[in-house]
Amino acid sequence: MDEEARQFVRRQLPHFYEKGARAAAETLGATFTWTLFHRDALQALASDSYADFLRRSQEAEQMAARFYRAVR
């Protein structure tokens, strides 16, 4: 799960960020270009997302362990 989360943050998140930013810019009649502001925002989003994925993965592992103990 850890590797999947890392891959999502590395590959998919920038794509989704850019897609949303392009749509927002188009709505405003502007064009999107990557700036330092966007790179910083994406870095913060990636860090938060990875931490959330990791936390959820750990919670799922704990729930599975509790279920295993209850069944056993």
Side-chain angles (χ1 to χ4, degrees):
M1 183 66 174
D2 186 45
E3 183 59 28
E4 287 296 320
R6 189 176 293 118
Q7 290 299 325
F8 174 81
V9 167
R10 187 177 308 138
R11 292 187 181 156
Q12 296 297 325
L13 198 58
H15 169 72
F16 291 136
Y17 180 94
E18 183 173 350
K19 187 175 179 182
R22 285 190 186 282
E26 186 177 301
T27 299
L28 298 172
T31 55
F32 170 77
T33 56
W34 284 97
T35 63
L36 184 55
F37 173 82
H38 292 293
R39 293 180 197 286
D40 289 346
L42 181 59
Q43 181 64 37
L45 181 60
S47 178
D48 290 347
S49 296
Y50 182 74
D52 287 344
F53 285 139
L54 191 56
R55 191 169 29 259
R56 297 298 176 251
S57 173
Q58 291 168 343
E59 289 173 1
E61 187 177 317
Q62 292 169 354
M63 286 175 44
R66 286 194 298 268
F67 177 76
Y68 173 77
R69 282 193 300 274
V71 170
R72 205 172 92 185

